[in-house]
Amino acid sequence: MRRLCVHLLPLILGLGLAGAGLALAAGLIRIPDRWNPFAPPVIADAPNLLTGWKIARLKDAPDQCLTVLKTGPLSFTPVPDRQTAETCGFENAVRVGNAGDPRFSSGFTASCPLMVAWSIFERHVLQPAARRHFASRVTRIDHLGTYACRPVRGGSTPSQHATANAIDIAGMVLADGTRISLPHDWSGDDARKRAFLRDVRDGACEVFRGVLGPDYNAAHHDHFHLDMGRWTICR
C-alpha cells in the first residue's frame, strides 16, 4: 500500500493542489488518510514525507489543530491570540502545564502546530529511542523556553521563538532516574547517551521543520532548537 501511495503522489502534484483536492473530495483518488496531504495529521501515525505539510496546514485551522492535539498525551489549555510587538506575539496557541507524562520542567505557551509536532515526535522518536538505548522511557523534559520576543541570535530576522513556534530542549530524565543533558552528554564519555541524543536529533528532523543542535553553532551547544517555521534545516 505504501508503494502504491508513493506512486500516486506525482499524480496528486501533477493535478495541482486545487485539482487534487477536488479529485480526493470526489472520490476519484482513494488513498489512506496518512498519505492524503489534505487529511489532518494523526498523532498515532508514524511520521512520513507528508507529516510536515499536514502540520503546517494546521496553522490556519485552529479548531482542527486543537482537535488533533486532544488525541495526544499533552495537558493543555487554549490561550487567546496576543500581539506584544510588531513582529512578536502568538496565535493559535496553547498553554502547556508541567504535569503529564512526560512532564515538562515548567509550563509554557506554544503554537498549537508546534505541540502537534512535539506529540508526534515524543511518541514516534523520543520514546522509541529511549527504549532502544536504555530499555526505559523519558518521564521529564527539561526545556529552556518557547516564547521570547527577539530576533535570531546574531541577526535581525525575528526568531521562531517570537511567535511561540519553537521550543528549546536541554535534556531529559528517564524513568530509571538516568539524566541526559545536551551540555554534558552530546560530547561526553557515555557512548549510549551520545548515540541516544544523535538518534533524537535525526528523528526530530523527520517531524520538525527546523532542528538545530550542538553541531550547528556555539549558541546551540546546550540544547536542541525545534521549530515549525518556514525553512527546513537539520543540523
Side-chain angles (χ1 to χ4, degrees):
M1 177 61 75
R2 176 172 179 169
R3 181 179 301 173
L4 174 61
C5 295
V6 171
H7 288 168
L8 283 172
L9 287 177
L11 173 60
I12 294 174
L13 296 176
L15 288 171
L17 295 181
L22 291 173
L24 288 166
L28 300 178
I29 301 176
R30 295 184 180 276
I31 57 177
D33 281 351
R34 67 186 306 266
W35 289 104
N36 179 351
F38 301 97
V42 176
I43 291 172
D45 287 345
N48 61 35
L49 74 169
L50 294 177
T51 300
W53 162 264
K54 288 170 171 280
I55 297 172
R57 293 183 71 241
L58 296 176
K59 177 181 178 181
D60 299 318
D63 290 342
Q64 186 178 75
C65 190
L66 293 175
T67 298
V68 172
L69 194 56
K70 287 176 182 177
T71 66
L74 283 179
S75 174
F76 69 91
T77 304
V79 298
D81 296 350
R82 180 182 177 191
Q83 184 170 1
T84 60
E86 183 178 355
T87 58
C88 296
F90 44 81
E91 57 184 23
N92 188 9
V94 296
R95 180 71 184 175
V96 178
N98 62 348
D101 184 20
R103 66 185 181 91
F104 290 93
S105 53
S106 62
F108 57 85
T109 297
S111 73
C112 179
L114 178 69
M115 288 296 97
V116 169
W118 171 268
S119 298
I120 293 172
F121 161 78
E122 187 265 330
R123 174 167 180 159
H124 298 285
V125 176
L126 184 63
Q127 299 296 4
R131 290 193 294 270
R132 284 195 306 274
H133 291 280
F134 301 100
S136 187
R137 68 185 310 277
V138 175
T139 57
R140 174 186 164 104
I141 304 294
D142 293 326
H143 72 92
L144 303 179
T146 52
Y147 176 68
C149 184
R150 63 171 177 82
V152 173
R153 297 193 186 281
S156 58
T157 303
S159 166
Q160 289 300 315
H161 287 287
T163 53
N165 203 33
I167 185 169
D168 291 341
I169 303 300
M172 309 94 177
V173 179
L174 306 182
D176 61 9
T178 300
R179 183 175 295 274
I180 304 166
S181 72
L182 270 294
H184 298 102
D185 297 319
W186 182 260
S187 301
D189 296 330
D190 190 316
R192 283 197 305 170
K193 291 182 179 181
R194 293 198 309 270
F196 167 75
L197 288 173
R198 280 156 179 79
D199 276 1
V200 169
R201 188 270 313 275
D202 294 346
C205 294
E206 298 180 11
V207 181
F208 297 95
R209 299 296 302 275
V211 178
L212 303 176
D215 284 348
Y216 181 58
N217 61 17
H220 294 82
H221 78 281
D222 61 351
H223 68 276
F224 289 140
H225 165 97
L226 310 173
D227 74 52
M228 286 304 295
R230 177 181 298 181
W231 309 113
T232 300
I233 184 170
C234 176
R235 293 286 297 276

